[in-house]
Amino acid sequence: MFSKSRINETAGRAEAPRASESAASAPVSAPVSRPSLDMGGNVGAGSAPKPKPAASVLSADLQISGNIRTSGDVVIEGVVDGDIRAHLLTVGESATIRGEIIADDIVINGRVIGRVRGLKVRLTSTARVEGDIIHKTIAIESGAHFEGSVQRQDDPLASSSQSAAASASASSAPRPAAAAPQPAAAPAPAARPSMPAEASRPAAPKAPMDSKASQ
Protein backbone atom coordinates (compact mmCIF):
# COMPACT_ATOMS: atom_id res chain seq x y z
CA MET A 1 0.00 0.00 0.00
CA PHE A 2 1.15 3.51 -0.76
CA SER A 3 0.95 6.32 1.70
CA LYS A 4 -0.41 9.75 0.87
CA SER A 5 2.96 11.43 1.47
CA ARG A 6 4.66 9.39 -1.25
CA ILE A 7 1.90 10.22 -3.72
CA ASN A 8 2.36 13.97 -3.08
CA GLU A 9 6.15 13.68 -3.51
CA THR A 10 5.84 11.97 -6.88
CA ALA A 11 3.31 14.56 -8.05
CA GLY A 12 5.57 17.39 -7.00
CA ARG A 13 8.54 15.85 -8.82
CA ALA A 14 6.49 15.53 -12.01
CA GLU A 15 5.34 19.15 -11.94
CA ALA A 16 8.84 20.60 -11.28
CA PRO A 17 10.27 20.04 -14.77
CA ARG A 18 7.17 21.64 -16.29
CA ALA A 19 7.84 24.84 -14.37
CA SER A 20 11.45 24.90 -15.50
CA GLU A 21 10.40 24.28 -19.11
CA SER A 22 8.00 27.24 -19.00
CA ALA A 23 10.71 29.45 -17.56
CA ALA A 24 13.15 28.39 -20.29
CA SER A 25 10.62 29.00 -23.05
CA ALA A 26 9.79 32.54 -21.85
CA PRO A 27 11.76 35.31 -23.67
CA VAL A 28 14.51 36.90 -21.66
CA SER A 29 14.06 40.68 -21.48
CA ALA A 30 17.22 42.78 -21.96
CA PRO A 31 18.12 45.08 -19.08
CA VAL A 32 17.01 48.66 -19.64
CA SER A 33 19.93 51.11 -19.67
CA ARG A 34 19.29 54.21 -17.64
CA PRO A 35 21.15 57.45 -18.29
CA SER A 36 23.80 58.10 -15.77
CA LEU A 37 23.20 61.11 -13.56
CA ASP A 38 26.87 61.42 -12.70
CA MET A 39 28.24 64.39 -14.61
CA GLY A 40 31.53 64.74 -12.87
CA GLY A 41 29.87 65.76 -9.64
CA ASN A 42 28.30 68.87 -11.27
CA VAL A 43 24.67 67.80 -11.53
CA GLY A 44 22.61 70.83 -12.56
CA ALA A 45 25.64 73.12 -12.70
CA GLY A 46 24.70 74.43 -16.15
CA SER A 47 21.32 75.70 -15.02
CA ALA A 48 22.60 77.46 -11.90
CA PRO A 49 22.89 81.27 -12.29
CA LYS A 50 26.37 82.72 -12.24
CA PRO A 51 27.21 84.84 -9.22
CA LYS A 52 27.51 88.56 -9.83
CA PRO A 53 31.12 89.74 -9.69
CA ALA A 54 32.10 92.11 -6.93
CA ALA A 55 32.48 95.81 -7.65
CA SER A 56 35.91 97.15 -8.58
CA VAL A 57 37.24 99.60 -6.00
CA LEU A 58 39.79 102.33 -6.73
CA SER A 59 41.22 103.37 -3.38
CA ALA A 60 41.83 106.93 -2.25
CA ASP A 61 45.61 106.72 -2.80
CA LEU A 62 45.20 105.76 -6.47
CA GLN A 63 45.41 108.27 -9.34
CA ILE A 64 44.57 107.26 -12.92
CA SER A 65 45.17 109.23 -16.11
CA GLY A 66 43.08 107.65 -18.86
CA ASN A 67 39.64 106.30 -19.71
CA ILE A 68 37.92 103.47 -17.79
CA ARG A 69 35.38 101.14 -19.43
CA THR A 70 33.64 98.17 -17.80
CA SER A 71 30.30 96.36 -17.86
CA GLY A 72 30.32 95.86 -14.08
CA ASP A 73 30.21 98.06 -10.99
CA VAL A 74 32.91 100.54 -10.00
CA VAL A 75 33.53 102.39 -6.74
CA ILE A 76 35.98 105.29 -7.02
CA GLU A 77 37.66 106.86 -4.04
CA GLY A 78 40.76 108.28 -5.78
CA VAL A 79 41.45 110.70 -8.63
CA VAL A 80 40.63 109.92 -12.27
CA ASP A 81 41.57 112.16 -15.20
CA GLY A 82 39.51 110.69 -18.02
CA ASP A 83 36.11 109.37 -19.08
CA ILE A 84 34.38 106.50 -17.25
CA ARG A 85 31.82 104.02 -18.63
CA ALA A 86 30.26 101.46 -16.24
CA HIS A 87 27.01 99.79 -15.19
CA LEU A 88 26.89 101.12 -11.62
CA LEU A 89 29.24 103.97 -10.73
CA THR A 90 29.70 105.18 -7.18
CA VAL A 91 31.83 108.29 -6.60
CA GLY A 92 33.15 108.42 -3.05
CA GLU A 93 33.43 111.53 -0.91
CA SER A 94 37.21 111.70 -1.38
CA ALA A 95 37.06 111.08 -5.15
CA THR A 96 37.66 113.60 -7.94
CA ILE A 97 36.77 112.84 -11.55
CA ARG A 98 37.75 115.13 -14.40
CA GLY A 99 35.92 113.86 -17.45
CA GLU A 100 32.61 112.50 -18.70
CA ILE A 101 30.93 109.68 -16.78
CA ILE A 102 28.34 107.37 -18.36
CA ALA A 103 26.50 104.63 -16.45
CA ASP A 104 23.09 103.09 -15.93
CA ASP A 105 23.08 104.04 -12.26
CA ILE A 106 25.25 106.86 -10.87
CA VAL A 107 25.66 107.84 -7.23
CA ILE A 108 27.85 110.91 -6.64
CA ASN A 109 29.22 111.62 -3.19
CA GLY A 110 32.40 113.45 -4.25
CA ARG A 111 33.52 115.87 -6.96
CA VAL A 112 32.88 115.54 -10.69
CA ILE A 113 34.12 118.03 -13.28
CA GLY A 114 32.51 117.09 -16.58
CA ARG A 115 29.32 115.85 -18.18
CA VAL A 116 27.20 113.21 -16.44
CA ARG A 117 24.99 110.76 -18.40
CA GLY A 118 22.89 108.13 -16.66
CA LEU A 119 19.48 106.50 -16.45
CA LYS A 120 19.42 107.08 -12.69
CA VAL A 121 21.49 109.89 -11.23
CA ARG A 122 21.68 110.67 -7.53
CA LEU A 123 23.54 113.57 -5.94
CA THR A 124 24.01 113.25 -2.19
CA SER A 125 24.50 116.10 0.24
CA THR A 126 28.31 115.95 -0.16
CA ALA A 127 28.29 115.96 -3.99
CA ARG A 128 29.99 118.68 -6.02
CA VAL A 129 29.26 118.60 -9.75
CA GLU A 130 30.50 121.10 -12.31
CA GLY A 131 28.94 120.17 -15.64
CA ASP A 132 25.73 119.26 -17.42
CA ILE A 133 23.61 116.30 -16.31
CA ILE A 134 21.61 114.28 -18.86
CA HIS A 135 19.35 111.77 -17.13
CA LYS A 136 16.09 109.84 -17.15
CA THR A 137 15.48 110.15 -13.40
CA ILE A 138 17.44 112.33 -10.99
CA ALA A 139 17.49 112.93 -7.24
CA ILE A 140 19.39 115.82 -5.63
CA GLU A 141 19.66 115.92 -1.86
CA SER A 142 19.74 119.09 0.16
CA GLY A 143 23.27 120.47 0.47
CA ALA A 144 24.56 119.22 -2.89
CA HIS A 145 26.61 121.71 -4.95
CA PHE A 146 25.75 121.74 -8.64
CA GLU A 147 26.79 124.10 -11.42
CA GLY A 148 25.41 123.34 -14.88
CA SER A 149 22.24 122.43 -16.73
CA VAL A 150 19.88 119.49 -16.25
CA GLN A 151 18.28 117.79 -19.26
CA ARG A 152 15.93 114.82 -19.26
CA GLN A 153 16.00 112.20 -22.03
CA ASP A 154 14.35 108.80 -22.40
CA ASP A 155 17.66 107.20 -23.41
CA PRO A 156 20.55 109.40 -22.31
CA LEU A 157 23.12 106.67 -22.98
CA ALA A 158 22.24 106.36 -26.67
CA SER A 159 22.51 110.11 -27.23
CA SER A 160 26.20 109.93 -26.38
CA SER A 161 26.93 107.48 -29.21
CA GLN A 162 24.76 109.43 -31.63
CA SER A 163 26.57 112.67 -30.90
CA ALA A 164 29.91 110.92 -31.31
CA ALA A 165 28.82 109.49 -34.67
CA ALA A 166 27.56 112.88 -35.81
CA SER A 167 30.82 114.56 -34.89
CA ALA A 168 32.80 111.82 -36.65
CA SER A 169 30.74 112.18 -39.85
CA ALA A 170 31.11 115.96 -39.74
CA SER A 171 34.87 115.67 -39.39
CA SER A 172 35.10 113.15 -42.28
CA ALA A 173 32.99 115.28 -44.68
CA PRO A 174 35.09 117.00 -47.41
CA ARG A 175 35.61 120.66 -46.87
CA PRO A 176 35.04 123.11 -49.73
CA ALA A 177 38.20 124.32 -51.45
CA ALA A 178 39.32 127.79 -50.56
CA ALA A 179 38.80 130.46 -53.24
CA ALA A 180 41.89 131.48 -55.19
CA PRO A 181 43.31 134.80 -54.05
CA GLN A 182 42.50 137.67 -56.39
CA PRO A 183 45.28 140.01 -57.52
CA ALA A 184 45.33 143.35 -55.81
CA ALA A 185 44.13 146.33 -57.83
CA ALA A 186 46.84 148.61 -59.22
CA PRO A 187 47.17 151.82 -57.31
CA ALA A 188 45.70 154.92 -59.01
CA PRO A 189 48.27 157.48 -60.29
CA ALA A 190 48.84 160.34 -57.97
CA ALA A 191 47.21 163.62 -59.04
CA ARG A 192 49.67 166.28 -60.07
CA PRO A 193 49.30 169.72 -58.45
CA SER A 194 47.74 172.31 -60.77
CA MET A 195 50.00 175.22 -61.71
CA PRO A 196 48.59 178.73 -61.47
CA ALA A 197 47.63 180.33 -64.79
CA GLU A 198 50.07 183.26 -64.46
CA ALA A 199 53.04 181.04 -63.79
CA SER A 200 52.26 178.82 -66.78
CA ARG A 201 52.20 181.70 -69.30
CA PRO A 202 55.57 183.05 -70.61
CA ALA A 203 56.45 186.63 -69.81
CA ALA A 204 55.89 189.19 -72.70
CA PRO A 205 59.14 190.66 -74.22
CA LYS A 206 59.88 194.30 -73.32
CA ALA A 207 59.92 196.97 -76.14
CA PRO A 208 63.36 198.48 -77.00
CA MET A 209 63.87 202.01 -75.79
CA ASP A 210 64.68 204.83 -78.39
CA SER A 211 67.81 206.68 -77.37
CA LYS A 212 67.01 209.69 -79.62
CA ALA A 213 63.62 210.22 -78.11
CA SER A 214 65.10 210.27 -74.72
CA GLN A 215 67.50 213.13 -75.65
Side-chain angles (χ1 to χ4, degrees):
M1 293 179 67
F2 298 97
S3 61
K4 295 181 179 180
S5 61
R6 291 182 178 179
I7 295 173
N8 295 334
E9 290 179 358
T10 56
R13 292 177 182 177
E15 293 177 356
R18 293 181 181 179
S20 61
E21 290 178 0
S22 61
S25 62
V28 179
S29 60
V32 179
S33 61
R34 296 180 179 180
S36 177
L37 297 179
D38 187 7
M39 302 176 62
N42 296 328
V43 179
S47 60
K50 296 182 180 180
K52 185 178 180 180
S56 302
V57 180
L58 304 180
S59 59
D61 58 348
L62 185 62
Q63 182 174 358
I64 296 178
S65 297
N67 300 334
I68 299 176
R69 185 181 182 90
T70 179
S71 59
D73 303 344
V74 180
V75 179
I76 298 177
E77 298 289 347
V79 179
V80 177
D81 293 333
D83 301 338
I84 301 176
R85 178 69 182 265
H87 173 68
L88 171 60
L89 177 61
T90 303
V91 182
E93 294 185 10
S94 61
T96 300
I97 300 176
R98 300 182 183 93
E100 183 179 15
I101 59 177
I102 304 173
D104 296 337
D105 196 351
I106 301 175
V107 179
I108 301 177
N109 301 311
R111 184 178 183 184
V112 176
I113 303 174
R115 182 179 296 177
V116 178
R117 291 181 178 271
L119 297 176
K120 298 179 180 179
V121 181
R122 177 186 173 190
L123 275 62
T124 63
S125 58
T126 58
R128 291 176 296 170
V129 179
E130 300 177 10
D132 300 337
I133 298 178
I134 301 176
H135 64 91
K136 187 175 182 180
T137 60
I138 188 171
I140 302 177
E141 296 182 0
S142 177
H145 177 77
F146 171 62
E147 294 182 4
S149 63
V150 179
Q151 182 179 359
R152 184 190 180 280
Q153 294 183 2
D154 293 335
D155 194 357
L157 306 182
S159 60
S160 176
S161 58
Q162 293 176 358
S163 61
S167 60
S169 60
S171 60
S172 60
R175 297 181 179 179
Q182 298 180 357
R192 296 180 180 180
S194 58
M195 298 295 294
E198 296 180 355
S200 60
R201 295 179 181 178
K206 297 181 179 181
M209 298 180 62
D210 192 0
S211 57
K212 294 180 179 181
S214 60
Q215 294 178 358

